[in-house]
Amino acid sequence: MTSSASSELERSPGSARAAFTDAALKDLWLEILKEIEPKLQRSQFITWFKDTALLGLEEGTLIVGLPLPMFLNWHMEHYRTMTMEIAQTFQPDVRQVVYKVDIALRDNPERSVNLLDYFPEQKRRKLPGKQEIKLAEGLVSKILNPRYSIDNFVVGGSNRLAHAACLSVSNQPGGKYNPLFLYGGVGLGKTHLLQGTGNAILKNMPKATVVYTTTEDFTNQVIEAIQHQKMEQLRKRYRLVDVLIIDDVQFLANKERTQEEFFHTFNALYEERKQVIISADRPPKELHLEDRLISRFERGMIADVSAPEYETRLAILTEKAQEYGIFLDQSVLQFIAEHVTQNVRELEGILMQAVALYELEQRMPTIKSIADIMRKLNKDPYIAEEKIGFDMPLKKQSTFQEVLEATSRYFSVSVQDMIGQSRVKEILLPRQVAMFLGKKYLRVSYVRMGEIFSNRDHTTVMNACEKIEQKLHNDPQLLREVRALEQELGFV
Ligand code: ADP
Ligand code: MG
């Protein structure tokens, strides 16, 4: 690391003793952030360092300001050591990092470093405002969404063949997989793959004429051409296409005239070894279309996309969370992946709600808030409740489950471990804290708590609660942690 240009930031021993002006603190924080940034995922960095500031440096204590109480624990657990080590490279006599929550830091660029200004995102290509582009010769194609690429399509058993076929076609359009026919249910990634393939072909061959159209649009074009007696022109135009992508051909059913036009276009392109890519919600044989069209579809490569399995769903969520620039706890992603099983679009929908929750309300999505979202969307009104509660009718116990969930998240241990047998230190503390909170706020009896925690004796629970009670008097870090939990759980 090179030393900073600003003299106040130079690593001279003892300089921490000098009073720091606000501007100098801000500069120092910026230098520290510059070192932290490359060590984290972007979404993590933005999420946890937005609106943070350096509030002071006094006698070797670096005071870092955080905009929200919920940041406290996360910083202490994940970033304190890193922050201290980096700070020491600028100010060798820094001995400790302490945190102070100051809600006024939010959106206060005077005091905090505006991350987005200093650490701009590598620009993604912006979506053009209009929906269609005019190609040469009056051809119309829907805009290919640059968000869809073959690379950012998550591959699993449910879609491996379809993905491989698209990849092959993108490298060699008009080659052996022609036509390429993808089929599968709603929201499983057909349009993503179709457009991703179009994007990839255009990247490899910028001059190619790639037309992506929905069946509905194609039908409208045919109707319009018939009305204006311009059928011949439409045909001619489509003959100039290098790659024709047509989405959702099941909607050609009962549209004889459009089917006929499509048949001729298809033949003309096929004979010239131009690539045709088709999607539908079912395999060719089951489409209610003319036999000759079906037999054309069956000439090439047919691949299905089905509902992704758990691991793929989790991988998709992880990928999308990164795309949206939000960092979510693994347990939250797992929870979504466990409960939304049939449709990737829904999976994304829940994620978007979580993003909104974070952006609009500055709340870090938790399993509970996601379960609430699902309930509101009527996804499965019962499942979330069942999942997060014990199988007990009493409301109290399900709230104690929330205590367990929150504590496990805070201390990054699993609920299973917390209620299990392990006696390692990392698990002992969160277990005792959960017991303490359960007793103090929910009045769960020692006996009942003992049962929940793998049938421990009630005296063990009692001792644990007392221990935490005592520790709170002389362990400020624990006090902060318990306070943060109490706050998250709405107890205080
Ligand atoms: P379909 O056309 O089959 O109805 P879409 O292609 O519109 O489905 O997919 C719905 C959403 O799910 C899109 O935002 C898409 O990006 C996403 N999606 C589906 N499958 C995957 C996958 N395997 N990897 C990444 N995103 C996916
Ligand atoms: Mg689609």
Side-chain angles (χ1 to χ4, degrees), residues 185-192 194 212 247-248 279 345:
V186 178
L188 297 180
K190 301 182 298 296
T191 298
H192 184 137
L194 256 50
Y212 167 88
D247 212 347
D248 289 320
S279 87
R345 194 170 295 145

Side-chain angles (χ1 to χ4, degrees), residues 126-188:
K126 272 244 168 9
L127 264 180
K130 49 186 183 154
Q131 296 294 305
E132 293 182 333
I133 36 169
K134 297 246 184 297
L135 301 169
E137 315 296 334
L139 269 170
V140 176
S141 169
K142 284 243 188 246
I143 292 276
L144 292 173
N145 188 339
R147 232 168 44 81
Y148 295 143
S149 77
I150 300 188
D151 292 341
N152 71 3
F153 188 81
V154 176
V155 185
S158 54
N159 56 33
R160 195 178 306 282
L161 182 66
H163 177 263
C166 288
L167 198 60
S168 169
V169 164
S170 71
N171 289 323
Q172 213 195 345
K176 57 185 171 184
Y177 297 145
N178 199 17
L180 171 60
F181 187 102
L182 301 186
Y183 73 90
V186 178
L188 297 180

Side-chain angles (χ1 to χ4, degrees), residues 173-406:
K176 57 185 171 184
Y177 297 145
N178 199 17
L180 171 60
F181 187 102
L182 301 186
Y183 73 90
V186 178
L188 297 180
K190 301 182 298 296
T191 298
H192 184 137
L193 279 174
L194 256 50
Q195 296 214 1
T197 310
N199 278 324
I201 293 174
L202 276 175
K203 202 164 149 203
N204 296 339
M205 295 178 274
K207 293 224 165 72
T209 306
V210 175
V211 168
Y212 167 88
T213 180
T214 60
T215 297
E216 196 187 353
D217 276 355
F218 185 76
T219 307
N220 288 338
Q221 286 173 39
V222 171
I223 292 171
E224 205 171 305
I226 294 171
Q227 278 169 354
H228 299 96
Q229 283 143 23
K230 288 188 171 159
M231 207 55 235
E232 202 45 44
Q233 272 136 303
L234 185 72
R235 262 176 222 158
K236 271 195 188 140
R237 274 188 251 142
Y238 268 94
R239 306 292 191 266
L240 296 170
V241 168
D242 296 311
V243 178
L244 176 62
I245 306 175
I246 179 159
D247 212 347
D248 289 320
V249 294
Q250 70 272 13
F251 295 128
L252 282 175
N254 303 322
K255 295 177 182 138
E256 289 80 14
R257 189 61 209 277
T258 311
Q259 279 187 48
E260 188 181 332
E261 282 314 318
F262 183 67
F263 178 75
H264 292 304
T265 300
F266 180 96
N267 280 342
L269 293 177
Y270 183 81
E271 258 143 45
E272 296 221 15
R273 304 184 134 262
K274 302 290 177 64
Q275 180 71 45
V276 181
I277 311 175
I278 303 154
S279 87
D281 66 352
R282 63 199 85 177
K285 274 232 162 16
E286 291 172 25
L287 289 166
H288 302 293
L289 302 180
E290 290 177 21
D291 287 345
R292 56 179 186 168
L293 210 44
I294 291 174
S295 76
R296 290 298 185 283
F297 292 165
E298 287 179 331
R299 265 190 204 169
M301 169 75 179
I302 301 176
D304 74 317
V305 249
S306 47
E309 48 292 282
Y310 172 76
E311 291 78 3
T312 312
R313 296 199 296 277
L314 190 57
I316 292 174
L317 280 170
T318 308
E319 162 84 32
K320 301 275 170 186
Q322 274 198 27
E323 274 178 33
Y324 292 121
I326 183 176
F327 176 78
L328 289 179
D329 199 72
Q330 190 66 8
S331 64
V332 172
L333 295 176
Q334 284 166 356
F335 182 80
I336 304 176
E338 274 167 29
H339 290 289
V340 182
T341 54
Q342 290 307 313
N343 183 323
V344 180
R345 194 170 295 145
E346 260 174 35
L347 212 56
E348 259 191 313
I350 304 276
L351 190 68
M352 289 312 296
Q353 298 269 336
V355 172
L357 192 71
Y358 172 68
E359 284 179 350
L360 302 178
E361 299 179 31
Q362 300 286 315
R363 276 166 57 198
M364 198 39 79
T366 59
I367 290 183
K368 179 173 180 307
S369 59
I370 297 287
D372 286 346
I373 290 172
M374 286 184 191
R375 252 196 299 271
K376 274 194 205 122
L377 295 178
N378 237 346
K379 276 298 151 269
D380 201 337
Y382 306 111
I383 194 157
E385 189 106 41
E386 268 167 24
K387 175 74 193 171
I388 59 175
F390 284 115
D391 295 334
M392 283 174 241
L394 288 174
K395 179 93 184 99
K396 264 193 178 156
Q397 266 77 10
S398 86
T399 317
F400 185 59
Q401 175 69 11
E402 284 162 23
V403 171
L404 286 174
E405 300 273 5

